[in-house]
Amino acid sequence: MMKMSDSYTIVVGLEIHIHLATRSKMFCSCELVYGQPPNTRVCPVCLGMPGTLPVMNKTAVEYAVLTAMALRCQIAPLTKWDRKSYYYPDLPKNYQISQYDLPIGSSGYIEISQEDGGTKKIRIRRAHLEEDAGKNIHDAGGYTAVDLNRAGAPLLEIVTEPDMNSPVEVRALAEELRRIVRFLGVSEGDMQKGHMRFEPNINLHIQRNGQVFKTPITEVKNLNSFRALERSIAYEARRQYEEFLEIGRTLQMGNKKTFGWDDEQEITVLQREKEEAHDYRYFPEPDLVPVRLTPEWLAEIESRLCELPLAMERRFQREYGLSRYDAGVLTAERATAEFFEQTMRLGAEPKRVCNFLTQAGLKIANELSVPIDRLRITPETLAKLAQMVESGLVSTTAANLVFEQIAREGGEPEVIVREKNLLQSSDGGQIEVLAEAVIAEQPQAVRDVVEENKKAKKALGFLMGQIIQKAGGQVNPKLVSQILQQKLNALKGKP
Amino acid sequence: MAGKIDELLVRRVAQLARLELSDQEIVQFSMQLSAIVNYIEKLNELNTDEVEPLAHCLPICNVFRSDEVLPSLTQERALANAPDAENGYFKVPKVLENGGGA
């Protein structure tokens, strides 16, 4: 389909909405909770009744500032509220309280990890607070049903510059942002529950015969997963290129179009072509006074910032010699990362602790739907257990069983190991007897090793396995290897 | 009077505000609104170079509530004034444009 002389760059900017995890709504004291019967978390304020007045939730403002700080934004010393007029039944006031010309944060950036291990900076244009709308349900029949439980929920809107150039980069940004807000504890970041909504703006810069053609920008809505986000970009790029080949329309010739993502067919469907830009008629919100972020207050909020996940991931690779994959899994959640570091401070071996946490640990935590630090195991017991494996007292397999039991029920590793009879034999005398027996039983394998032929390595492993099997698995493999080597060396006539 | 606010603009604003105006009202409002805008424009004669923009007419800021939950209305009370409701939802004429709100 692509003409030989063409090449194109995908250009994507994102508009992101994040639900802040406050207990109550942005401007009233209704509870913020999901999955409740419709219109049971509403009051005269969020229903838009005449004569009511909004009052700012201080925590929501602080969460927004904290996030903007993590995104390296400039924080406005004075910020205010504006009305965005919007005639739609999910907004009962007929306007949304938002921020127009003085957003809380501006000119920041977020660093994303790239395939080659490098990082790329995606600039953040602005980050501002606003209230969410309610929920319209259109499939009810000949009318629209409205639930206003969500109306008035604190929403952080983040707008990036069009700095992403592939579906993978867009996904990386979305996942990084999710990791950041979860680390900060300002949002649960669950896309399925609508805690995070991503709306990409996409177009192509097509290079043809030394000229650059820009396709009209489209916006895609209704993306409910990271996968849908990534796929919608790839689909839109293909669709726009084909449309360009067919009718050659460029940016100057068309208005912005909005597409909806069809998750089943994995295609974008035209929703509307903006005849003219929406006229939101912003004006300062007279019902709310401005917010002055004093240096003292900002310093207090800044003290809540933590090391950001990507920085932590890189540090884990550097400091503990972990692979990028391992460091990524450990830093996916703050609880896991902190658990790991606490265990490290007790002097345990990084890779071993990482394996315990990312395999058995995350498996059990998922099963019980709790963060890893809520399991019964503590950094202290984990460090002890790792040490026992290190010194050959228990095998890795046995240690995993012990880990699982402690994680679920608590307990001390030494006690469990004794109770379950999991201690490995480090009784040299017993191993020698077994080694001699195996050497007598397996002359062919012994010959391979002694002759140091092609099969030597495999044969040695086989002999090891036989001894461990005879010992019922509960034997220190390091010691077995040592003793077996001694005996075989003796047969070779070496010291 | 020279129309600052011509009839076309009145029609557009009325449409945005979902107001139904008669042709006569449109002419009338066009003149009245133009008079108001002309009057307000006198303020432009003032030199405001050294004056900070004002975000709010009250000299106060930072009025907050703490993040605490208080009881909401019952569903019955919430829907009591609604022209139409069903199964706990407000029932409104079908919305065609898929705006998606915020």
Side-chain angles (χ1 to χ4, degrees), chain A residues 227-297:
Chain A
R227 184 170 172 272
L229 174 63
E230 187 177 0
R231 297 208 166 193
S232 75
I233 311 278
Y235 180 85
E236 260 306 297
R238 271 198 315 276
R239 192 197 62 73
Q240 288 190 13
Y241 183 68
E242 277 164 27
E243 186 181 80
F244 174 76
L245 290 183
E246 252 172 60
I247 56 174
R249 224 162 70 120
T250 57
L251 188 59
Q252 291 75 26
M253 294 152 75
N255 288 314
K256 188 161 125 179
K257 289 180 187 178
T258 302
F259 284 75
W261 177 247
D262 182 328
D263 214 23
E264 281 187 5
Q265 297 188 64
E266 300 201 323
I267 58 169
T268 59
V269 183
L270 183 64
Q271 284 187 338
R272 65 164 177 237
E273 188 157 4
K274 292 186 176 172
E275 295 292 322
E276 50 189 317
H278 263 283
D279 190 341
Y280 294 124
R281 291 158 291 152
Y282 281 101
F283 67 94
E285 166 61 87
D287 289 347
L288 289 164
V289 295
V291 178
R292 194 173 289 282
L293 293 154
T294 61
E296 298 77 47
W297 191 15

Side-chain angles (χ1 to χ4, degrees), chain A residues 438 442 445-446 449 459-468 484 488:
Chain A
V438 168
Q442 308 289 349
V446 171
V449 177
L460 184 62
F462 170 75
L463 293 172
M464 281 273 300
Q466 288 294 306
I467 300 169
I468 293 169
L484 180 63
L488 292 170

Side-chain angles (χ1 to χ4, degrees), chain A residues 141-177:
Chain A
Y143 60 94
T144 295
V146 187
D147 171 15
L148 296 175
N149 283 349
R150 202 180 65 185
L155 209 54
L156 183 65
E157 178 175 317
I158 297 170
V159 183
T160 78
E161 298 291 347
D163 288 349
M164 286 152 279
N165 301 111
S166 72
V168 173
E169 279 183 12
V170 174
R171 183 177 183 145
L173 180 121
E175 292 186 331
E176 195 57 53
L177 186 60

Side-chain angles (χ1 to χ4, degrees), chain A residues 3 56-57 59 85 142 183 193 200 236 281 319 325 328 334 386 406 443 487:
Chain A
K3 290 235 187 132
M56 284 178 261
N57 181 336
T59 304
S85 309
F183 257 62
K193 286 188 185 161
E236 260 306 297
R281 291 158 291 152
E319 238 169 71
Y325 175 81
R334 191 173 172 179
I406 301 177
K487 299 226 168 279

Side-chain angles (χ1 to χ4, degrees), chain A residues 17 23-24 28-30 38-39 42 56-58 87-88 96 138 143-144 146 279 286 288 290-292, chain B residues 12 16 18 56 61-62 64-65 67 69-70 72-73 75 86 88-92 94-95 97-99 102:
Chain A
H17 287 95
R23 286 188 284 272
S24 64
C28 65
S29 303
C30 287
N39 300 306
V42 290
M56 284 178 261
N57 181 336
K58 191 175 185 187
Y87 196 79
Y88 206 61
Q96 178 192 30
H138 299 291
Y143 60 94
T144 295
V146 187
D279 190 341
L288 289 164
V291 178
R292 194 173 289 282
Chain B
R12 175 151 164 64
L16 285 169
R18 301 324 197 248
H56 200 272
C61 55
N62 295 10
F64 296 110
R65 35 173 275 275
D67 182 23
V69 175
L70 292 176
S72 298
L73 297 174
Q75 191 186 64
E86 198 173 87
Y89 290 91
F90 292 95
K91 202 169 158 183
V92 302
K94 195 160 182 89
V95 185
E97 192 196 48
N98 191 352

Side-chain angles (χ1 to χ4, degrees), chain A residues 454-478:
Chain A
K454 277 187 296 185
K455 294 182 193 158
K457 215 174 154 195
K458 210 173 152 191
L460 184 62
F462 170 75
L463 293 172
M464 281 273 300
Q466 288 294 306
I467 300 169
I468 293 169
Q469 204 181 358
K470 272 189 194 291
Q474 288 169 17
V475 66
N476 182 348
K478 265 189 203 156

Side-chain angles (χ1 to χ4, degrees), chain A residues 181-201:
Chain A
V181 296
R182 288 177 62 89
F183 257 62
L184 296 174
V186 300
S187 176
E188 291 172 46
D190 188 335
M191 267 185 95
Q192 306 284 308
K193 286 188 185 161
H195 294 156
M196 288 186 104
R197 303 198 286 266
F198 294 90
E199 280 154 16
N201 275 264

Side-chain angles (χ1 to χ4, degrees), chain A residues 299-363:
Chain A
E300 194 278 308
I301 298 172
E302 200 169 9
S303 72
R304 301 184 218 169
L305 269 181
C306 57
E307 185 182 12
L308 293 183
L310 185 58
M312 206 179 216
E313 181 183 316
R314 293 285 148 83
R315 185 167 62 78
F316 279 13
Q317 289 173 251
R318 250 190 351 261
E319 238 169 71
Y320 302 119
L322 294 174
S323 70
R324 190 176 156 202
Y325 175 81
D326 281 340
V329 178
L330 284 175
T331 53
E333 300 289 342
R334 191 173 172 179
T336 317
E338 286 182 348
F339 198 108
F340 173 78
E341 286 238 279
Q342 282 164 19
T343 315
M344 285 303 99
R345 276 185 221 116
L346 300 166
E349 208 275 309
K351 177 63 180 162
R352 195 176 303 283
V353 171
C354 169
N355 286 350
F356 275 125
L357 287 176
T358 58
Q359 290 160 22
L362 287 178
K363 190 193 85 183

